Amino acid sequence: MVLLYKPEFVKHDGGSPIFSVDCHPDGTRMATAGGDQKVKVWALGPVKNRELEGDPNVARTLATLSDHFNTVNCVRFSKNGRYLSSGSTDTSIFLYEKRPGPGRAAFGSSDEPNVENWQNVQALKGHASDVIDIAWAPDDSMLASCSLDNLVIVWDPATGQRVHTLKGHTSFVKGVAWDPIGKFLASQADDKSCIVWRVDDWSIVSRITEPYQSSMGATFSLRLCWSPDGKAVTTCNSYKKPSHTASVLERGDWGSKFDFVGHKGPVVAVRFSPALFRSDDP
């Protein structure tokens, strides 16, 4: 059984919309990106346990990060949990590192002092328009970002330098995802295509267009996602009459063999569970 619960305390200033959520690899916290120009880090204990949610001695908000000066569109923890990255409409990407000791509120802020000490340690600047999605490589050695400037940029998070700029889309790029095996990077854009790039030389392995030709206009995001075993990448905003779908592209020939069906509107994001579920039925 899948249970869906929306904790009332998880919200951004003034009821601003939340554009992205990501959970820390150790399952103790999550981050959200908001229209209030802030990144917030939350304790997951009060989300998982209703008794903790009502306990005034248990911190719920662990940190509020206010470095961006426009809407924050995406947040992603690194695979090792050491860093938190954020991408914004202000065209910048920030990397935060959790340091020892308690944090503090930003100067002039009305927010409560931070419980955790997340420090801004790197600013990645190179996009000319809104950053819509970001993704860490499987070994955290690289970070990919995509933007409304039609580009995908691959970064070295340790130095803040560009590794490569991928130019292949002809419209806004709104989703980027690393193959968990580490050989490919996939991106999806408003030009109604998904491009699979080879990491070794950044060449285009395949440009897939067929599942998206009948899709309905533009969406806020196209956050595609690889299956944990790397055998397929599930994409957004595809359409097979009479339904909006999430088209699954199989590794190798990159053909669309089947689709996830059921939504009444365009699919804007896909996320696989990192856990493997087994049925108890004989």
Side-chain angles (χ1 to χ4, degrees):
M1 178 185 293
V2 177
L3 299 177
L4 188 64
Y5 169 58
K6 183 182 182 300
E8 293 297 325
F9 68 85
V10 177
K11 55 187 176 181
H12 279 249
D13 295 356
S16 298
I18 294 173
F19 293 107
S20 179
V21 178
D22 197 50
C23 289
H24 192 277
D26 70 6
T28 61
R29 57 180 68 80
M30 69 177 181
T32 55
D36 58 356
Q37 308 178 16
K38 296 178 181 180
V39 174
K40 287 181 176 285
V41 182
W42 309 87
L44 275 176
V47 176
K48 298 175 182 178
N49 187 324
R50 299 290 181 87
E51 292 182 2
L52 292 179
E53 182 179 350
D55 188 338
N57 297 315
V58 175
R60 299 184 298 185
T61 307
L62 300 178
T64 299
L65 311 175
S66 306
D67 297 286
H68 288 289
F69 58 86
N70 211 322
T71 297
V72 187
N73 295 316
C74 189
V75 284
R76 293 288 183 265
F77 285 104
S78 59
K79 300 295 190 293
N80 63 13
R82 180 178 175 182
Y83 298 102
L84 172 62
S85 57
S86 60
S88 169
T89 297
D90 65 16
T91 75
S92 62
I93 300 158
F94 292 138
L95 303 186
Y96 296 92
E97 182 180 20
K98 186 178 179 295
R99 298 283 178 82
R104 57 178 183 270
F107 179 77
S109 172
S110 60
D111 296 315
E112 293 293 324
N114 291 337
V115 175
E116 293 185 340
N117 185 17
W118 289 90
Q119 293 294 312
N120 189 339
V121 295
Q122 195 72 265
L124 309 180
K125 296 183 181 291
H127 282 294
S129 190
D130 310 28
V131 176
I132 301 299
D133 198 15
I134 47 183
W136 289 88
D139 62 358
D140 291 330
S141 64
M142 291 181 284
L143 180 76
S145 60
C146 64
S147 167
L148 303 189
D149 60 10
N150 302 0
L151 300 177
V152 175
I153 298 180
V154 181
W155 308 87
D156 180 341
T159 65
Q161 300 301 307
R162 295 195 203 197
V163 174
H164 204 81
T165 300
L166 305 179
K167 301 176 181 179
H169 287 291
T170 59
S171 188
F172 303 153
V173 191
K174 296 181 176 179
V176 64
W178 290 89
D179 159 28
I181 299 173
K183 292 187 175 181
F184 303 112
L185 178 69
S187 58
Q188 191 171 355
D190 276 352
D191 58 11
K192 297 189 176 183
S193 77
C194 172
I195 295 179
V196 179
W197 310 83
R198 192 186 312 278
V199 172
D200 287 347
D201 58 6
W202 303 113
S203 62
I204 294 178
V205 176
S206 183
R207 185 191 302 270
I208 304 95
T209 59
E210 188 277 328
Y212 322 109
Q213 295 312 297
S214 299
S215 60
M216 305 292 186
T219 60
F220 169 73
S221 68
L222 296 166
R223 291 174 180 158
L224 65 175
C225 186
W226 291 80
S227 59
D229 59 7
K231 290 183 178 179
V233 57
T234 302
T235 59
C236 301
N237 199 21
S238 48
Y239 186 87
K240 289 188 178 178
K241 193 173 182 181
S243 179
H244 296 277
T245 70
S247 192
V248 181
L249 310 179
E250 293 194 359
R251 189 190 194 96
D253 64 6
W254 309 109
S256 176
K257 300 297 193 300
F258 70 95
D259 292 64
F260 291 113
V261 181
H263 286 288
K264 295 181 180 179
V267 176
V268 300
V270 178
R271 201 73 179 267
F272 279 88
S273 169
L276 180 64
F277 295 92
R278 299 183 184 279
S279 173
D280 293 331
D281 296 334

